[in-house]
Amino acid sequence: GENVGLHLPTLSVQEGDNSIINCAYSNSASDYFIWYKQESGKGPQFIIDIRSNMDKRQGQRVTVLLNKTVKHLSLQIAATQPGDSAVYFCAENSGSGGTSYGKLTFGQGTILTVHP
Amino acid sequence: KAGVTQTPRYLIKTRGQQVTLSCSPISGHRSVSWYQQTPGQGLQFLFEYFSETQRNKGNFPGRFSGRQFSNSRSEMNVSTLELGDSALYLCASSLLGTGAETQYFGPGTRLLVL
């Protein structure tokens, strides 16, 4: 069945460090992945996405890596700042067939805390 | 562009009542998805609407329903509320709701059932 899970529920780093948040998925049919950031009292905010025909994608201070062989996804945040403190979710969509319409399957989330 | 908006932001209901939540997608987006977020179950997909039609549905009881209007605005309804329905209800919009498409979320409606 579909399952997207995170290895670490919490991550604590110092300001300026690089952060790595990991995610494992089990649906080999998944071909689209997204990382979201959710701050307290807010909805999930899009960070970056990647399609299965890629293994790396970079944004501003963030990089997503996809390893389809081991079904693993990671989000790297460079020079982490206190404003990066939030819960981070990975999500996937199988991208095929009617059951994929508008449906993202989310991981459990990782709480990132950045200490000044 | 304005983001996804949801109303109301907070609701308190009692068991057995029903509730209707509203979502206005980003202008031009035709797909609206709804999710329930709880501490125990995380974010779970409820259903998706496109062109006033429900195209996909998650594993929730029939008490959870929704609809979409011709302007793409969507509502979801929960009838006969149970304590376990207390959650943050999120809607997200995307252009067409195809698999490989970014969904943008609203701030959510926090529902408390007493």
Side-chain angles (χ1 to χ4, degrees):
Chain A
E2 297 164 314
N3 180 42
V4 181
L6 296 177
H7 294 303
L8 300 174
T10 62
L11 178 62
S12 184
V13 301
Q14 291 296 127
E15 181 177 3
D17 287 351
N18 295 333
S19 302
I20 299 176
I21 300 171
N22 296 299
C23 177
Y25 65 95
S26 59
N27 186 353
S28 57
S30 297
D31 61 1
Y32 180 62
F33 304 88
I34 307 177
W35 282 99
Y36 286 96
K37 170 187 179 184
Q38 187 175 27
E39 297 173 284
S40 181
K42 298 183 179 180
Q45 175 188 354
F46 171 79
I47 301 173
I48 192 168
D49 60 1
I50 189 168
R51 285 167 172 69
S52 60
N53 60 352
M54 305 170 70
D55 53 20
K56 180 179 181 179
R57 192 168 188 219
Q58 289 184 290
Q60 189 174 16
R61 283 201 306 119
V62 295
T63 300
V64 55
L65 299 177
L66 175 62
N67 185 329
K68 294 182 289 293
T69 302
V70 295
K71 289 185 275 189
H72 185 266
L73 190 69
S74 69
L75 175 70
Q76 300 178 0
I77 305 174
T80 317
Q81 303 166 0
D84 294 327
S85 295
V87 180
Y88 289 80
F89 294 95
C90 63
E92 57 92 8
N93 183 287
S94 66
S96 60
T99 57
S100 72
Y101 287 134
K103 178 181 179 180
L104 293 174
T105 300
F106 284 80
Q108 67 185 70
T110 292
I111 301 172
L112 174 64
T113 303
V114 183
H115 299 284
Chain B
K1 276 186 180 179
V4 178
T5 60
Q6 292 187 246
T7 57
R9 292 293 311 278
Y10 304 94
L11 267 177
I12 300 176
K13 293 286 187 178
T14 56
R15 281 182 300 172
Q17 288 186 311
Q18 73 166 16
V19 67
T20 299
L21 313 180
S22 181
C23 172
S24 292
I26 291 171
S27 178
H29 285 193
R30 296 171 62 190
S31 170
V32 174
S33 298
W34 288 90
Y35 295 84
Q36 181 196 65
Q37 185 175 26
T38 61
Q41 299 297 318
L43 276 149
Q44 293 187 293
F45 173 77
L46 281 157
F47 29 64
E48 186 259 2
Y49 286 87
F50 178 83
S51 290
E52 303 178 65
T53 300
Q54 184 184 91
R55 293 193 301 185
N56 202 358
K57 190 177 189 306
N59 296 323
F60 279 82
R63 299 185 298 106
F64 292 82
S65 63
R67 60 176 174 169
Q68 186 181 36
F69 302 94
S70 58
N71 61 358
S72 295
R73 190 178 68 85
S74 178
E75 291 181 345
M76 68 162 282
N77 182 276
V78 187
S79 62
T80 319
L81 284 165
E82 301 178 359
L83 296 179
D85 296 332
S86 294
L88 180 66
Y89 290 89
L90 294 157
C91 83
S93 76
S94 63
L95 278 169
L96 299 173
T98 60
E101 198 175 60
T102 304
Q103 291 185 22
Y104 297 92
F105 282 82
T109 294
R110 185 162 298 280
L111 172 65
L112 177 62
V113 182
L114 302 175

